[in-house]
Amino acid sequence: MVPQWRVGPLALPVHGVFVGLGVLAATVVFVAEARRRDAMNEQSLIAVTGALVGGAIGMRLSGWAQHIDFRFNPTVLRVWEFGSRSILGGLLGAYIGVLVAKRIGGYRGKTGDLFAPAVALGMAVGRIGCHLTEAPGRPTSLPWGVHAPVTTPKCPGCLAGVAMHPSFVYEIAFQLAVFGILLWLRSRVTQPGELFVIYVAGYAVFRFFVEFVRANDTVWLGLTRPQWFLLPSLVVIGVRLGYGYRRGYYDQLLRRLESRV
């Protein structure tokens, strides 16, 4: 049963409320950043629309690819109505949605720097809903382990009453820290699009390692499905960062960091 809050006659899904608040927070940051960069125009609004539509589709349909044998999957319609929602699928869908929207609108400028801090804050807010409604993580003896209600779906540790890693709290803290770092970097990394590259690289590395304490099932060699998705992605991201380094995109930042050491 989906956890809900009741407000009079209304039943509000807890997870959905925080996803909505996350989208709202991301929109506010995006608009503020677009105004700061004098980029609040029709093209940026087209990119936002593409991100929202693509993200919603990717988040829903990514659950459809959870089985190696696709005969075990429900229909696309049932996945859309009742299926799981993957953050990685949502991010990939949003990225594709932006590319498609910009192509349709004939806009060739880079918008990633507007999205990077917005996505980080939006993710931090949205993950509060995950922490309140989903299985926290794998069992732990660490003092900050948490207990979740026995009604939490797909959570054997909840039934056993064991302490578990608060994996979503780890991600909330990561996203908030990255949000602050991106605000600090925006005047120090001036090459268009590189803030977004840095954010994606940081999140990909973090997500790969946090999967070791999340409640997701392992499928092969002790790794989860998200980790197998991330492995080739990390290679591509590493190549892209190397390209940016060779082109001098991060020289100003590196010089500032060296001067502080």
Side-chain angles (χ1 to χ4, degrees), residues 9-216:
L10 298 177
L12 303 177
V14 176
H15 186 274
V17 167
F18 281 99
V19 169
L21 290 174
V23 171
L24 177 61
T27 301
V28 170
V29 173
F30 181 92
V31 170
E33 190 65 8
R35 287 177 174 172
R36 189 186 74 86
R37 294 173 179 263
D38 196 24
M40 194 64 191
N41 49 42
E42 181 181 350
Q43 288 79 13
S44 62
L45 295 178
I46 289 174
V48 170
T49 302
L52 292 175
V53 174
I57 295 173
M59 188 178 290
R60 283 291 189 178
L61 296 188
S62 57
W64 194 73
Q66 63 179 318
H67 298 298
I68 296 176
D69 189 341
F70 288 93
R71 292 175 299 176
F72 291 106
N73 280 314
T75 64
V76 172
L77 178 61
R78 287 189 61 82
V79 167
W80 187 262
E81 292 178 334
F82 308 109
S84 60
R85 294 176 287 271
S86 165
I87 288 295
L88 290 176
L91 288 175
L92 178 60
Y95 178 70
I96 295 173
V98 170
L99 294 182
V100 172
K102 287 166 64 176
R103 177 61 62 88
I104 293 174
Y107 181 56
R108 298 187 178 277
K110 293 184 179 295
T111 55
D113 293 343
L114 303 177
F115 280 106
V119 171
L121 184 60
M123 290 273 285
V125 175
R127 281 307 197 189
I128 298 174
C130 297
H131 176 66
L132 295 176
T133 61
E134 298 183 21
R138 299 180 186 179
T140 180
S141 59
L142 293 172
W144 55 80
V146 298
H147 295 81
V150 296
T151 55
T152 304
K154 300 179 181 179
C155 183
C158 301
L159 295 174
V162 300
M164 293 165 287
H165 281 282
S167 62
F168 294 116
V169 175
Y170 299 159
E171 181 158 353
I172 293 168
F174 169 82
Q175 297 289 356
L176 288 175
V178 168
F179 174 68
I181 291 170
L182 290 172
L183 294 183
W184 180 78
L185 285 176
R186 63 188 181 182
S187 62
R188 295 166 174 83
V189 177
T190 55
Q191 180 66 26
E194 291 308 302
L195 272 187
F196 186 73
V197 172
I198 291 171
Y199 170 72
V200 170
Y203 181 61
V205 172
F206 167 82
R207 181 61 189 270
F208 182 86
F209 285 104
V210 82
E211 277 292 311
F212 287 112
V213 299
R214 287 192 62 180
N216 292 328

